[in-house]
Amino acid sequence: MKRTLLIALLVAGCSSSNLETSRGPNGETITGNAVSVQVTNATNAQAAFSLAESYCRDKRRAARFVAQTGTTAAFDCVKTE
């Protein structure tokens, strides 16, 4: 189930023309758009969440954990009130 969800997020993210990729301070890969973000190769779950939260905050949203497969963690960027 988690793998299917992560693949769906990857496909949805790749279909967006606003897909962005950047690097974190320790070489993590951060890939996302206005509604979701994936963090790969973070040292731990908290580090991945912090990077996702920072990414989503730039979009005026908050990170919400979706799934983790191997070294990739997926997050939704949800609107804040």
Side-chain angles (χ1 to χ4, degrees):
M1 177 68 180
K2 288 182 181 180
R3 182 173 289 181
T4 302
L5 183 57
L6 188 56
I7 290 170
L9 287 171
L10 281 170
V11 171
C14 291
S15 66
S16 171
S17 62
N18 295 328
L19 191 64
E20 303 172 7
T21 300
S22 61
R23 293 281 180 193
N26 297 313
E28 303 92 346
T29 302
I30 304 162
T31 305
N33 56 29
V35 296
S36 65
V37 62
Q38 294 179 1
V39 179
T40 304
N41 296 328
T43 55
N44 57 51
Q46 184 58 43
F49 181 77
S50 294
L51 291 167
E53 185 68 17
S54 178
Y55 179 89
C56 293
R57 190 178 308 117
D58 289 345
K59 311 288 187 233
R60 297 183 182 199
R61 294 174 177 251
R64 181 180 65 198
F65 178 77
V66 175
Q68 181 165 352
T69 302
T71 62
T72 301
F75 301 86
D76 284 337
C77 294
V78 295
K79 289 184 180 180
T80 58
E81 294 183 48

